[in-house]
Amino acid sequence: MSELSDIRMQVMWNRLISVVEEQAMTLLRAAFSTSVREAGDLSAGVFTPDGLMLAQAVTGTPGHVNTMAAAVRNFMDEIPREEMFEGDTYVTNDPWLGTGHLHDIIMVSPSFLDGELVAFFACTAHVVDVGGRGFGADGKSVYEEGIQIPIMKFAEKGVVNRHLVRLLHANVREPNQVVGDFYSLAACNDVGHRRLVEMMREAGLPTLDDLSRFIFSRTRAAMLQRIAELPRGSWSNAIVTDGYDDPIRLAVAVSIAEDHVGIDFTGSDPMSRWGINVPIIYSTAYASYALKCVIAPDIPNNAASLAPFRVTSPVNILNAARPAPVALRHVIGHMVPDLILGAMAKALPGRILAEGAGALWNIHISARPVAGGEGRRAEVLMFNSGGMGSRPSLDGLSATAFPSGVQTMPIEATEHTGPIVVWRKELRPDSGGDGEFRGGLGQIMEIAALDGHEFDFSAMFDRIHHPPAGREGGEDGKAGSARLDDGTAMRPKGWQHVPAGRRLVLELPGGGGYGDPAQRGAEARALDRSRGYVTEEQE
């Protein structure tokens, strides 16, 4: 390929990324759920006609993007090419074929140019409710966790499947929000399709074949070069998380070969009877993300950059078999990066950050008037983040969603969705682990129902009994806690009740410290005190 052709292909690659970014922005603007609209809990991407991810939007989460990268081929296996038409959109929330639990809706749409299939567009979003027991860990099987939508057509030749829409209305608590999000997802793919066709016509491209070869060949070469620079060998790690009513042990062996990296979850605990199990498609997504953060954070995420990561596991909590309950798969799945990074710290000492809060502290609130009273009923979902672990040369980031990458949901937007008040939301002093570099801070939050209301909530918390570990001599971050304002302790997981007049108090965990605390400079400590990050009592 000539230098001029190389430049043209690079320009087209950048154009393609702008196409999927506009695709994602459409979903952000059109979504009904605050988790999508405010927090960016979504993914969007374009795929080759044989189902390989070509480009992804920067907006989105690793759990959605990297599961979507595998899921498109599952759609192709189910819907034959001869049954695909212009104007089609396909949908599923199957945890094992999609993104790991029923609350995530994935839609795939074929893109045609002059009657020829040239690409697929796919997108994913978390919806506020899918029926069943509600968003929580209390189900004993996936059948209790909500409506299951097999891979099927949401629209054929531009005509929406009204029977599916009626089923949704009959099975979910917030039908207008959920059905609205389905239409938003379909619109997201449609915008991607229209922008791609415009780009291809303008550039005179009858197919994406040449551009695909350009993207994949360069990505593959770059990844192989990065892997070749790593030490050869195998390194193991294990961590313990809170689990539901018993601690859960997660184990991994990371093996680095000449042209690939193997990840084996053998030794992790068996499946749980509660909904914290993780389908392998989700474990693989976060395993790949963790390795990519270390090996090649600057290389674009596509089928070629994900291909060198090979994940294996027997059936266990990180490779749950149907029909295991999986609603809170993210709580354990978000621990996978810390698990893998611990192994990589042995392979690459001095280069890996300390452990952080890991799992989002999601809370799903079901608010209602007190018995005999008047008021609003609503389902409210909040995403909250603890502190990140400190880095080998920098303090950890406070109240930051790593590894999920979702944004903070503004209090005003959350309060607008239901009869609740967030009385307090601030950084938690002294929660970051001490070290040469301090761990990021968690948060303190106080949540109550409006006068005349009460609420049940689904706790989705971890790192209460097992705090984030420091690295290279750094101290552990501070563990989290959940209680009422009268001191009543709440469980880390499961549906629980907050009476009218009481406040739920959440103290989110801080990240682990990095390096010997004795090496932290006096200037850094003085700055921590002046900002209120650290109190005199801690020192």
Side-chain angles (χ1 to χ4, degrees):
M1 188 175 286
S2 69
E3 183 177 346
L4 185 60
S5 296
D6 280 1
I7 294 172
R8 183 172 183 266
M9 287 293 108
Q10 186 64 56
V11 170
M12 298 312 300
W13 191 352
N14 291 336
R15 283 283 301 274
L16 197 61
I17 292 171
S18 72
V19 166
V20 292
E21 273 299 300
E22 185 170 353
Q23 179 194 2
M25 289 300 105
T26 299
L27 185 53
L28 277 176
R29 291 191 295 267
F32 283 60
S33 297
T34 54
S35 58
V36 181
R37 189 178 66 248
E38 304 291 346
D41 192 20
L42 60 90
S43 66
V46 62
F47 293 71
T48 65
D50 54 354
L52 299 177
M53 187 166 73
L54 195 53
Q56 65 153 96
V58 175
T59 305
T61 72
H64 283 161
V65 169
N66 289 348
T67 51
M68 187 178 70
V72 170
R73 286 196 164 185
N74 294 329
F75 280 81
M76 297 174 67
D77 290 341
E78 184 67 26
I79 302 175
R81 169 65 185 86
E82 60 270 18
E83 295 180 16
M84 295 181 178
F85 310 108
E86 295 188 46
D88 278 6
T89 297
Y90 317 126
V91 65
T92 193
N93 68 342
D94 186 306
W96 287 268
L97 300 179
T99 66
H101 70 175
L102 296 176
H103 276 78
D104 283 344
I105 308 301
I106 180 168
M107 285 200 179
V108 174
S109 305
S111 185
F112 291 86
L113 176 64
D114 297 330
E116 294 296 323
L117 179 67
V118 293
F120 288 97
F121 281 91
C123 57
T124 310
H126 182 109
V127 298
V128 68
D129 184 63
V130 289
R133 286 179 171 266
F135 191 21
D138 299 299
K140 299 302 193 301
S141 75
V142 71
Y143 301 112
E144 298 180 30
E145 294 182 328
I147 186 171
Q148 297 186 59
I149 306 169
I151 291 176
M152 61 187 300
K153 292 191 176 185
F154 175 69
E156 182 173 89
K157 299 179 181 178
V159 179
V160 171
N161 184 341
R162 300 294 179 183
H163 300 298
L164 175 57
V165 172
R166 290 180 63 199
L167 282 171
L168 292 171
H169 272 279
N171 279 277
V172 305
R173 297 171 180 84
E174 297 281 357
N176 292 333
Q177 282 194 55
V178 172
V179 172
D181 281 336
F182 271 61
Y183 279 97
S184 299
L185 286 157
C188 165
N189 283 351
D190 186 57
V191 166
H193 159 69
R194 286 190 277 114
R195 294 294 178 265
L196 177 67
V197 168
E198 290 172 7
M199 182 194 92
M200 294 177 70
R201 291 195 189 283
E202 179 185 328
L205 296 177
T207 71
L208 295 177
D209 293 351
D210 289 341
L211 181 57
S212 300
R213 281 190 288 270
F214 178 85
I215 291 173
F216 290 150
S217 64
R218 278 151 180 77
T219 303
R220 185 178 299 107
M223 284 298 298
L224 292 178
Q225 180 181 345
R226 297 293 177 85
I227 293 173
E229 294 168 356
L230 298 174
R232 300 283 181 271
S234 181
W235 295 267
S236 299
N237 187 42
I239 63 174
V240 177
T241 74
D242 294 353
Y244 189 102
D245 42 18
D246 294 304
I248 297 292
R249 181 180 186 270
L250 307 178
V252 72
V254 177
S255 302
I256 303 175
E258 181 179 354
D259 60 353
H260 70 275
V261 180
I263 305 101
D264 184 1
F265 292 124
T266 298
S268 297
D269 275 352
M271 291 190 297
S272 171
R273 66 192 181 106
W274 302 103
I276 56 174
N277 299 290
V278 192
I280 193 64
I281 195 170
Y282 195 79
S283 299
T284 299
Y286 272 104
S288 300
Y289 175 67
L291 288 172
K292 202 160 179 303
C293 284
V294 174
I295 297 171
D298 55 333
I299 293 177
N301 205 51
N302 56 46
S305 59
L306 295 173
F309 304 137
R310 303 177 185 176
V311 178
T312 57
S313 178
V315 172
N316 56 30
I317 196 165
L318 292 176
N319 180 19
R322 192 189 299 271
V326 293
L328 298 197
R329 54 76 168 115
H330 66 279
V331 175
I332 300 299
H334 286 178
M335 299 298 177
V336 166
D338 270 345
L339 175 67
I340 288 175
L341 292 173
M344 292 301 293
K346 300 172 184 177
L348 302 169
R351 290 176 54 181
I352 308 298
L353 78 167
E355 290 182 6
L360 289 168
W361 272 45
N362 292 352
I363 176 171
H364 187 110
I365 293 172
S366 184
R368 60 183 179 273
V370 296
E374 295 184 357
R376 294 175 60 193
R377 287 180 173 267
E379 305 297 315
V380 181
L381 177 62
M382 299 178 67
F383 291 171
N384 307 297
S385 307
M388 278 185 66
S390 50
R391 295 156 286 180
S393 59
L394 292 168
D395 291 344
L397 298 173
S398 298
T400 298
F402 178 84
S404 75
V406 298
Q407 302 172 44
T408 295
M409 300 167 75
I411 289 172
E412 296 82 359
T414 299
E415 292 178 337
H416 181 72
T417 63
I420 65 166
V421 178
V422 180
W423 288 101
R424 187 182 184 193
K425 182 174 168 54
E426 59 189 45
L427 292 179
R428 182 187 179 195
D430 303 330
S431 56
D434 198 7
E436 182 178 1
F437 300 100
R438 174 186 43 75
L441 304 183
Q443 302 180 65
I444 302 176
M445 302 183 64
E446 293 187 15
I447 306 166
L450 285 179
D451 289 345
H453 291 76
E454 60 187 357
F455 68 86
D456 294 328
F457 75 97
S458 173
M460 311 180 202
F461 314 142
D462 213 286
R463 301 289 202 191
I464 286 180
H465 304 300
H466 299 85
R471 198 165 325 273
E472 302 291 343
E475 295 182 1
D476 294 350
K478 198 167 187 178
S481 73
R483 56 182 170 83
L484 298 184
D485 57 348
D486 63 1
T488 302
M490 308 304 279
R491 293 180 286 114
K493 296 177 182 70
W495 281 94
Q496 296 158 82
H497 181 64
V498 177
R502 292 264 68 93
R503 296 183 184 182
L504 176 63
V505 181
L506 304 179
E507 296 182 326
L508 279 64
Y514 191 99
D516 184 356
Q519 299 300 312
R520 188 163 180 82
E523 184 178 342
R525 292 197 178 279
L527 188 61
D528 284 343
R529 289 194 299 273
S530 69
R531 291 175 171 173
Y533 295 167
V534 174
T535 65
E536 296 288 349
E537 289 76 12
Q538 187 190 41
E539 297 188 69

